Amino acid sequence: MRAVVFERYGDPAEVRELPDPSPAPHGVVVRVEATGLCRSDWHGWMGHDPDITLPHVPGHELAGVVEAVGGRVTRWRPGDRVTVPFVCACGSCPSCAAGDQQVCERQTQPGFHHWGSFAEYVALDHADVNLVALPDDMAYGTAAALGCRFATAFRAVVQQGRVAAGEWVAVHGCGGVGLSAVMIAAASGARVVAVDVSPRALELARRFGAAECLDAAGVPDPAAAVRELTGGGAHLSLDALGSPATCAASVNGLRRRGRHVQVGLLPSADGTTPVPLARAIALELELLGSHGMAAHAYPGMLRLVRTGVLRPDLLVTRTITLDAAPAALAAMDTAPAAGVTVIEPRRRRPGGPPFPAAG
Ligand SMILES: [Zn+2]
Ligand SMILES: [Zn+2]
């Protein structure tokens, strides 16, 4: 199969022929039809993720067709259209037994713990626990955005954040997960303040329902600006980027008894990030984390997508070939495209060889 692979952290990745994967007894191999390019892939490529071993194939937001099935899999067969949460759960640990597969104690994440979906094929573990059937009318590109960013935002806003109609919700960082959060919070009846430094990202946030758009580069103190716009602070605030500055701004922009949800990853040299805890005490703030969403929670979200209440398809602003993926991965930090970029591994660049036969 063709796949994007890197041998050393931060060195340019390249597209190469690699052996096709085969399924574990409890797993499947999926033919990848679309896979999202996420900031977490960039973190992995830069060496920020201790779970990665080299050489490595990134990619964790995918949708495709089941190609091969392990002998112990009962729910899936070749030809099924599927997606998968980026946290693949074991199905048998105490967290899984409690229904919290998103924090499974023996989780495997495609594109981190093993080779991922920037490839024509990807192997996925514990298929009966983790695969999600796609509605017939959902495009693969739309579905690819669900597995990490949209589902993560859904859980962060609805489940962990407990959003309520009429509340003020601040979203710091309007990349893929932030824009998803804006859309989901607005659809929940909340008034959303979108915060970013990119005019293009804020324009998309406005289109997805943000009531207020705050250019963080244009104000000395984004948290103070959020407090002013919301009449005293947001009820719920998300750091959807993941940086010491956005984390602090999110916490400091809350009103009394507000809820902060940390969604963006927070890599740092010493592994810890300063958080304004004094304010959390004085204002009785809740500080929450959010980590993907279990497969069993997808149907509720998919219903809202099918009825048009949520439009993850609008997040997909760019579709590229596998050959264009290494450069797009490298540009994630310095020149990220607004919205979600989706890679179609089976689409060839103009003039290249035709599609391989399906199935
Ligand atoms: Zn588990
Ligand atoms: Zn991701």
Side-chain angles (χ1 to χ4, degrees), residues 16-74:
R16 243 193 263 154
E17 280 291 335
L18 294 174
D20 288 348
S22 51
H26 51 70
V28 296
V29 167
V30 165
R31 188 177 79 225
V32 182
E33 295 290 342
T35 179
L37 175 61
C38 176
R39 194 172 161 82
S40 306
D41 298 312
W42 178 83
H43 281 305
W45 174 61
M46 288 299 290
H48 299 160
D49 194 309
D51 297 321
I52 290 176
T53 53
L54 298 173
H56 184 67
V57 176
H60 59 282
E61 295 187 329
L62 68 117
V65 179
V66 174
E67 177 84 11
V69 176
R72 302 215 311 262
V73 174
T74 61

Side-chain angles (χ1 to χ4, degrees), residues 299-321:
M301 178 180 73
L302 290 175
R303 263 193 299 280
L304 295 172
V305 174
R306 292 203 75 188
T307 54
V309 172
L310 298 177
R311 295 286 307 277
D313 55 310
L314 298 179
L315 294 163
V316 179
T317 49
R318 186 169 69 139
T319 303
I320 62 174
T321 62

